[in-house]
């Protein structure tokens, strides 16, 4: 469909599910990929799996809710390959199910920090180097939950609606630098 040879793609939350599938497709198109998630053993296993298929990949464990770990993820990628051409923000958290009236402040902070603030941080860490080359793409993985109300994961939906708003704002700010920012909103995926 397209050729990403020579491009570098960083995908958060890429050791399973949608994130891993995105990484596989980008690698199949020729991109060098950065595999990342909180669990170091999962990162190592997926990175090794990609290497076994002849795909160029590095693995960097990272909790996206911790700014220093995100900076290490970006710095490690830039040290290895000198650039990031595609940024896919897929990592997310949803530690609670039930009505929002029963969500503790700590759960609110975790959901918003992981699902929204981490993307804000990553954009500010990655997009300036894309702007320097006047080329790049950022994809934010939102959710159908951003578009429909729910009595069991309402706060998650609010965070994913914020992701869509963040994508629109980033597209306006960075579009003049030839950076494409898009948001996708998948539903439940059987993986």
């Amino acid at each position: 469909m397209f050729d990403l040879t020579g491009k570098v793609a960083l995908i958060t939350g890429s050791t399973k599910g949608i994130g891993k599938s995105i990484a596989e497709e980008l690698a199949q198109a020729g991109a060098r990929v950065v595999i990342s998630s909180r669990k170091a053993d999962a990162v190592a296993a997926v990175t090794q799996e990609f290497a076994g298929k002849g795909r160029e990949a590095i693995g960097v464990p990272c909790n996206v809710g911790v700014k220093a770990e995100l900076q290490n993820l970006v710095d490690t990628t830039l040290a290895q390959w000198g650039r990031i051409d595609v940024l896919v923000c897929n990592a997310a958290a949803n530690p609670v199910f039930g009505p929002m009236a029963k969500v503790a402040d700590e759960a609110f902070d975790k959901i918003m920090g992981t699902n929204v603030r981490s993307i804000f941080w990553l954009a500010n860490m990655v997009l300036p180097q894309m702007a320097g080359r006047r080329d790049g793409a950022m994809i934010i993985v939102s959710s159908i939950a951003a578009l429909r109300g729910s009595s069991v994961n309402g706060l998650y939906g609010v965070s994913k609606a914020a992701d869509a708003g963040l994508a629109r704002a980033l597209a306006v700010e960075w579009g003049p630098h030839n950076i494409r920012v898009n948001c996708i909103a998948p539903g439940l995926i059987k993986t």
Side-chain angles (χ1 to χ4, degrees), residues 1 55 62 70 72-73 77 96 109 145 151 174:
M1 210 179 242
R55 310 281 189 230
C62 176
L70 281 175
N72 179 63
L73 174 62
T77 302
V96 295
D109 291 344
S151 62
W174 293 97

Side-chain angles (χ1 to χ4, degrees), residues 138-183:
M138 179 178 185
I139 299 112
I140 298 171
V141 179
S142 178
S143 170
I144 192 77
L147 307 172
R148 296 184 179 164
S150 171
S151 62
V152 294
N153 66 356
L155 193 54
Y156 176 79
V158 168
S159 74
K160 292 304 187 170
D163 287 348
L166 187 57
R168 286 189 293 272
L170 290 168
V172 169
E173 289 184 20
W174 293 97
H177 301 281
N178 200 39
I179 298 170
R180 296 163 310 285
V181 181
N182 290 284
C183 190

Side-chain angles (χ1 to χ4, degrees), residues 118-142:
S118 69
I119 296 170
F120 169 76
W121 285 339
L122 267 174
N124 289 330
M125 292 173 187
V126 174
L127 299 185
Q129 59 85 42
M130 289 180 181
R133 289 188 316 280
R134 296 198 50 80
D135 186 41
M138 179 178 185
I139 299 112
I140 298 171
V141 179
S142 178

Side-chain angles (χ1 to χ4, degrees), residues 1-140:
M1 210 179 242
F2 50 87
D3 184 10
L4 294 177
T5 301
K7 301 288 186 180
V8 175
L10 189 161
I11 307 99
T12 65
S14 51
T15 58
K16 62 183 178 179
I18 293 171
K20 183 179 179 190
S21 293
I22 290 170
E24 288 171 337
E25 292 298 320
L26 294 175
Q28 187 172 342
R32 295 174 285 179
V33 297
V34 182
I35 303 299
S36 182
S37 77
R38 288 178 297 120
K39 298 178 180 171
D41 58 341
V43 170
V46 172
T47 304
Q48 186 174 28
E49 177 186 330
F50 275 51
K53 294 178 181 177
R55 310 281 189 230
E56 275 192 90
I58 61 170
V60 183
C62 176
N63 178 341
V64 297
V66 179
K67 191 173 190 177
E69 291 190 29
L70 281 175
Q71 190 65 61
N72 179 63
L73 174 62
V74 171
D75 291 347
T76 301
T77 302
L78 294 175
Q80 176 74 27
W81 286 321
R83 62 192 295 146
I84 299 168
D85 300 288
V86 179
L87 172 62
V88 180
C89 298
N90 175 67
N94 188 22
V96 295
F97 287 92
M100 286 191 286
K102 296 189 180 208
V103 174
D105 290 349
E106 295 79 17
F108 178 94
D109 291 344
K110 180 176 178 75
I111 291 169
M112 291 304 187
T114 301
N115 300 359
V116 182
R117 187 179 56 217
S118 69
I119 296 170
F120 169 76
W121 285 339
L122 267 174
N124 289 330
M125 292 173 187
V126 174
L127 299 185
Q129 59 85 42
M130 289 180 181
R133 289 188 316 280
R134 296 198 50 80
D135 186 41
M138 179 178 185
I139 299 112
I140 298 171

